[in-house]
Amino acid sequence: MREFIRPVAITFSIACLAASLAVFSSNGAFAQAKGGQMAPPSAAPAGQPSAIKQIALTDKQVEGVIAAAKDMDALAEKMPQDGKPDPKITAQLDSTAKKYGFASYDEYNTVVDNIGMVMSGIDPASKKYVGMAAVMKAQIAQIQADTKMSAKDKKEALDDLNQALKAPEPTIENKGNIDLVVKNYDKLDAILGDDQN
């Protein structure tokens, strides 16, 4: 059942990720896109997603994200829905990030963003990196073949994915990140899959 739910549940996140890629092509920086239970996005100019700084990931950082997931998800759920940062929760996020080996909450976010870039291009069936466009095309085919999805939901999902496909795909600067994320795919998918990929 997870194979079926996954493409539908992540359509919005992929659409956001791809839409933010338009910023990548005009600014030269990959734009931040997170969904659901992921850490809340950092502040950015009005109407503009935050830029992601691409870094070379380490085993320790990936393990830290995996270990921190439960605590970070619990804190992220406490964030106000109006988007205004709560200083208490922000301090707790920073403290929790440090507890799991990150210099700050900002570093944690950068690591999660870099993991998310790779996760968005991993085929869940083969667990190989094929690129975001190939993953979205496979999801489009799955949604089109789905007979249980409502026509309205199907149209919205397909519109989002087709729109997302129009944005240029970013180049992953640190190719070692692909191997590292693929190696930890199952653990990362368990904590990020419904939101990131």
Side-chain angles (χ1 to χ4, degrees):
M1 182 80 171
R2 182 153 167 76
E3 297 293 329
F4 166 73
I5 292 172
R6 180 187 171 102
V8 177
I10 62 176
T11 299
F12 177 74
S13 293
I14 287 182
C16 289
L17 179 62
S20 67
L21 296 180
V23 174
F24 173 78
S25 62
S26 62
N27 291 349
F30 180 79
Q32 176 174 347
K34 295 182 187 142
Q37 299 173 0
M38 293 307 304
S42 55
Q48 189 101 20
S50 299
I52 288 180
K53 174 186 168 189
Q54 290 199 41
I55 61 169
L57 296 171
T58 66
D59 282 314
K60 183 179 176 184
Q61 289 171 322
V62 173
E63 290 165 7
V65 167
I66 293 166
K70 185 176 179 181
D71 291 346
M72 287 298 198
D73 286 351
L75 289 170
E77 287 177 16
K78 294 180 183 178
M79 291 297 285
Q81 297 301 315
D82 62 10
K84 295 179 184 175
D86 178 333
K88 274 186 179 176
I89 296 174
T90 302
Q92 288 176 328
L93 287 165
D94 202 50
S95 164
T96 302
K98 289 176 182 177
K99 173 182 167 184
Y100 289 99
F102 298 96
S104 65
Y105 178 59
D106 287 339
E107 181 189 4
Y108 170 83
N109 272 335
T110 299
V111 171
V112 169
D113 290 341
N114 278 265
I115 290 170
M117 282 179 59
V118 176
M119 290 288 289
S120 69
I122 296 176
D123 172 35
S126 68
K127 297 181 185 176
K128 292 185 179 180
Y129 185 82
V130 295
M132 191 172 69
V135 170
M136 285 192 287
K137 287 175 185 175
Q139 289 175 345
I140 288 170
Q142 285 181 319
I143 292 168
Q144 288 172 332
D146 184 351
T147 57
K148 296 180 182 178
M149 190 177 202
S150 75
K152 180 184 176 204
D153 289 344
K154 186 180 282 197
K155 181 183 181 328
E156 287 176 12
L158 291 172
D159 288 348
D160 288 345
L161 283 168
N162 283 314
Q163 184 63 34
L165 273 173
K166 294 177 184 177
E169 189 169 342
T171 301
I172 295 180
E173 295 171 5
N174 301 290
K175 301 300 182 195
N177 290 358
I178 295 171
D179 293 335
L180 186 57
V181 172
V182 167
K183 177 176 91 172
N184 292 283
Y185 178 80
D186 291 330
K187 292 177 186 173
L188 291 166
D189 186 53
I191 61 170
L192 306 176
D194 290 341
D195 301 319
Q196 263 317 168
N197 196 23

